[in-house]
Amino acid sequence: MTLQDIVPGQTCIIKAIRTNNLRKRIIDMGLIIGTQVYVKKTAPLGDPVEIIVRGYSLTLRKAEARTILVERLDTE
């Protein structure tokens, strides 16, 4: 499952990052393995995705979100 598959209102944990050329940029934004991410909302066509990481908002393109492998947390 990737970050792109998480719907707004769900929380997940980053398990891996599958890209080489965007890896440094993604890590510089604080998206490292083990980080908890809350998906706040998506644009009407699903791109971009707004997430909350470490207390701040961040917007990712769908292509970037597709490279981040995550595990969904059950928050019920």
Side-chain angles (χ1 to χ4, degrees), residues 46-60:
D47 193 19
V49 177
E50 183 176 351
I51 60 174
I52 305 292
V53 180
R54 302 174 192 266
Y56 64 89
S57 294
L58 185 64
T59 303
L60 294 176

Side-chain angles (χ1 to χ4, degrees), residues 8-73:
Q10 291 184 328
T11 303
C12 59
I13 292 182
I14 297 174
K15 293 297 182 184
I17 299 170
R18 292 190 307 189
T19 183
N20 288 328
N21 56 346
L22 293 174
R23 186 176 181 87
K24 181 174 181 345
R25 181 172 181 261
I26 289 172
I27 290 172
D28 287 346
M29 290 189 287
L31 297 171
I32 59 175
I33 295 171
T35 302
Q36 188 169 321
V37 175
Y38 174 77
V39 177
K40 186 174 181 183
K41 62 184 175 182
T42 60
L45 297 177
D47 193 19
V49 177
E50 183 176 351
I51 60 174
I52 305 292
V53 180
R54 302 174 192 266
Y56 64 89
S57 294
L58 185 64
T59 303
L60 294 176
R61 294 181 187 139
K62 192 185 287 185
E64 295 167 335
R66 195 178 309 134
T67 65
I68 301 172
L69 299 178
V70 298
E71 178 182 327
R72 185 175 41 225
L73 295 178

